[in-house]
Amino acid sequence: MNVMMGQQGGGQDKLFYSFNLDDHVPRTHLLRGIDRYFDLDGLREHLAPHYSHTGRPSIDPELMIRMLIVGYCFGIRSERRLCEEVHLNLAYRWFCRLGLEDAVPDHSTFSKNRHGRFRDSEALRHVFESVLRRCMSEGLVEGEGFAVDASVVKADANRARGVPGTEVIDWRQGDGPSRAVQEYLSALEEANPAPSDDVESATPPKRISLTDPAARYTAAPGGPAFFAYSTNYLIDLHAGIIVDVEATPAHRTQKVESAKTMIDRVEQRFAIKPKRLVGDTAYGTGAMLGWMVQEKGIDPHVPVWQRPPRNDGTFPNSDFHWIERSDEYRCPAGHVLRKERRPFKAQRSHITKAGTIIYRSSQTDCASCSMKDQCCPNTPMRKIARSVHEEAREEARAIANTPAYKRSRRERKKVEMLFAHLKRILKLDRLRLRGPSGAHDEFLLAATAQNLRRMAKWLVPVSQQAATAPT
């Protein structure tokens, strides 16, 4: 018999226990680093107007926010499962300020608060911005350069539960419209309060989801189409901190407009405006470049969007020389292209709906030109459409030849890495909540979790070294 073999005692249970929850959370646990920089002191004051002064005490909003942060930091997508994990996991209990005997809220509490006071008070936006302010105070946001991009996330909508966009839908069928449908209909009424016959209607989408009609039907490269939203990130390039996030349907136009919204909001709330903005070709339209250069004074580190070159063998527009002082083009043969050939009594802007000015050559010059077959073989004259934002486009082209632009293209990968982290680590490759408000809530919480994780990983090692250094 081996007398050195240990054996667990089976004696009587102890009457008293001495248990310190803090001792059972590893010093290197991610939540310790997050807790060091996560402050919810202003949340109660922010939510106070949305709570009644009478009745039973409600669930602590700080507890619910801390539980949601745990869920999004560790990819726990179900609130029912989140409650189970917080109940069992000591580190989660410690972060949520729960003792061993404290009860965990029911999962239905999150839904009631999310659809009520959290959205009415924009509490999740308040939490995101309070974390961002802490990132700024810790020196993780410089404000010199921002990057913007969008990533498509699947909506909680079955692609089989969709109808053609031109089909008339009676949303009152069954038990009545759901919350996501009501939000969609309210947005339509707000955008078109009094439609008239002389107003050109917007192009209907290809398909509309019956469960989440605000989601956009889009096709992924190499895969089937699906209903989706876009999460739009505006990040600071110093440490990759997300300075703003916006939820939009998965559409190119709304993606660009959301960039303006985020830049304006950051400037208004934090008094920060970048010197340069880095983005892909979607942000290189003439209107967007004009807004950056002429209205905001931001250097566009963005590829200029332009039409595909001619493939018929004729002269491209780049072969025509622009003369600014006389407001005209010169063709390769030396003939003039102007926006008007005779004076008008009333001055005209000549700006088209597409935001361009058309410059035309003389039909007489073209008819006798030896280069007509290389210039305009199928039309009596040559036309060039010049964007009203061409100066901004030229500035973007000039920046594209600088070493700073090459550095910006490398730094733009930081926002793409955040999207990869969002989908692979935080498991947000498909939304769980429906409607624009649901997408807005999920994207805000995920961005908050990413900023907290980034802050913990960047700052905690330095803080720990300072705490343990000899004095």
Side-chain angles (χ1 to χ4, degrees):
M1 180 176 180
N2 189 350
V3 296
M4 298 301 294
M5 181 182 297
Q7 183 177 357
Q8 185 176 3
Q12 185 179 4
D13 293 339
K14 294 182 180 180
L15 294 178
F16 301 98
Y17 289 88
S18 176
F19 188 91
N20 187 352
L21 192 59
D22 184 77
D23 294 338
H24 294 268
V25 180
R27 296 297 166 185
T28 57
H29 199 285
L30 176 63
L31 286 179
R32 282 196 177 272
I34 291 176
D35 185 69
R36 186 190 298 266
Y37 301 101
F38 190 43
D39 185 7
L40 291 174
D41 288 345
L43 181 63
R44 294 179 178 276
E45 182 180 355
H46 180 80
L47 285 170
H50 300 271
Y51 279 86
S52 174
H53 297 286
T54 60
R56 287 172 29 182
S58 65
I59 301 297
D60 187 351
E62 291 189 13
L63 170 60
M64 287 187 286
I65 294 296
R66 283 184 173 271
M67 288 181 65
L68 288 172
I69 291 299
V70 168
Y72 279 84
C73 277
F74 295 96
I76 305 174
R77 303 288 297 123
S78 166
E79 287 166 357
R80 185 187 298 270
R81 183 180 160 228
L82 173 63
C83 293
E84 296 173 355
E85 292 289 337
V86 172
H87 176 73
L88 296 172
N89 192 299
L90 294 181
Y92 296 172
R93 277 185 171 271
W94 173 86
F95 180 77
C96 295
R97 306 293 193 264
L98 291 172
L100 286 178
E101 297 180 354
D102 292 333
V104 177
D106 187 79
H107 64 89
S108 62
T109 306
F110 294 94
S111 178
K112 293 176 182 178
N113 283 273
R114 181 172 59 247
H115 296 308
R117 55 178 64 97
F118 278 8
R119 285 183 183 169
D120 295 339
S121 64
E122 293 190 342
L124 300 182
R125 169 68 65 177
H126 171 81
V127 173
F128 170 80
E129 292 184 351
S130 66
V131 171
L132 177 57
R133 287 190 179 92
R134 186 59 186 268
C135 292
M136 293 177 178
S137 66
E138 297 293 337
L140 297 183
V141 177
E142 290 186 346
E144 184 274 334
F146 285 177
V148 63
D149 204 354
S151 183
V152 175
V153 179
K154 291 182 179 180
D156 184 24
N158 191 335
R159 62 190 301 267
R161 287 272 298 160
V163 297
T166 55
E167 182 175 323
V168 178
I169 306 171
D170 184 6
W171 297 106
R172 297 171 296 180
Q173 293 179 356
D175 297 331
S178 63
R179 185 178 286 106
V181 171
Q182 290 175 358
E183 188 176 355
Y184 169 73
L185 296 176
S186 299
L188 286 182
E189 292 178 0
E190 184 178 350
N192 303 290
S196 58
D197 295 336
D198 58 343
V199 177
E200 184 180 357
S201 60
T203 303
K206 185 176 181 180
R207 289 183 69 81
I208 293 180
S209 169
L210 296 178
T211 52
D212 192 352
R216 192 81 179 192
Y217 196 64
T218 184
F226 53 87
F227 294 103
Y229 287 91
S230 284
T231 175
N232 299 268
Y233 276 7
L234 183 68
I235 74 164
D236 183 86
L237 289 173
H238 171 58
I241 296 296
I242 304 167
V243 296
D244 207 351
V245 57
E246 186 78 6
T248 61
H251 191 265
R252 184 188 184 102
T253 302
Q254 290 169 311
K255 164 184 173 178
V256 175
E257 290 301 316
S258 70
K260 298 180 181 180
T261 300
M262 292 188 292
I263 292 172
D264 285 338
R265 184 161 51 207
V266 170
E267 182 179 8
Q268 177 185 2
R269 298 190 181 185
F270 301 98
I272 295 178
K273 186 179 70 173
K275 295 180 180 178
R276 58 188 171 106
L277 181 67
V278 184
D280 58 24
T281 312
Y283 304 95
T285 61
M288 183 63 182
L289 293 174
W291 180 82
M292 281 191 278
V293 174
Q294 297 163 3
E295 293 188 30
K296 307 302 291 185
I298 299 173
D299 292 340
H301 288 230
V302 177
V304 179
W305 182 88
Q306 53 192 12
R307 296 183 180 277
R310 291 169 172 257
N311 56 5
D312 56 0
T314 58
F315 294 133
N317 289 350
S318 58
D319 286 352
F320 290 73
H321 179 58
W322 168 249
I323 305 176
E324 184 176 0
R325 65 177 181 276
S326 56
D327 190 19
E328 64 185 22
Y329 279 97
R330 291 277 180 172
C331 74
H335 300 303
V336 177
L337 286 78
R338 297 193 177 98
K339 62 184 179 185
E340 60 183 26
R341 288 284 171 176
R342 60 183 179 86
F344 295 92
K345 292 182 179 179
Q347 188 175 5
R348 302 183 179 185
S349 65
H350 300 282
I351 301 176
T352 65
K353 291 182 179 180
T356 60
I357 299 176
I358 307 299
Y359 290 81
R360 297 176 176 85
S361 60
S362 168
Q363 186 171 347
T364 304
D365 291 340
C366 290
S368 59
C369 182
S370 60
M371 297 183 178
K372 186 177 186 307
D373 291 339
Q374 297 174 266
C375 185
C376 51
N378 301 320
T379 57
M381 67 186 73
R382 178 64 183 260
K383 296 187 295 185
I384 293 181
R386 179 181 175 86
S387 172
V388 295
H389 304 290
E390 193 62 32
E391 292 182 3
R393 287 161 56 90
E394 290 296 336
E395 182 170 339
R397 292 190 185 101
I399 291 174
N401 296 322
T402 62
Y405 179 83
K406 294 180 180 179
R407 177 169 63 92
S408 295
R409 303 318 296 168
R410 293 193 300 268
E411 291 178 330
R412 196 178 75 86
K413 295 179 181 178
K414 293 181 179 181
V415 67
E416 297 174 351
M417 293 170 61
L418 282 169
F419 289 141
H421 180 268
L422 175 74
K423 296 179 180 181
R424 296 182 181 180
I425 305 301
L426 304 190
K427 310 299 184 185
L428 191 57
D429 55 348
R430 182 186 177 94
L431 292 173
R432 188 177 55 82
L433 306 179
R434 292 174 177 169
S437 294
H440 174 266
D441 292 349
E442 291 220 61
F443 293 155
L444 267 177
L445 281 168
T448 304
Q450 286 182 297
N451 279 349
L452 286 169
R453 290 175 61 110
R454 179 61 59 93
M455 190 159 39
K457 290 182 180 295
W458 272 60
L459 301 176
V460 168
V462 177
S463 303
Q464 289 177 347
Q465 291 173 10
T468 58
T471 57

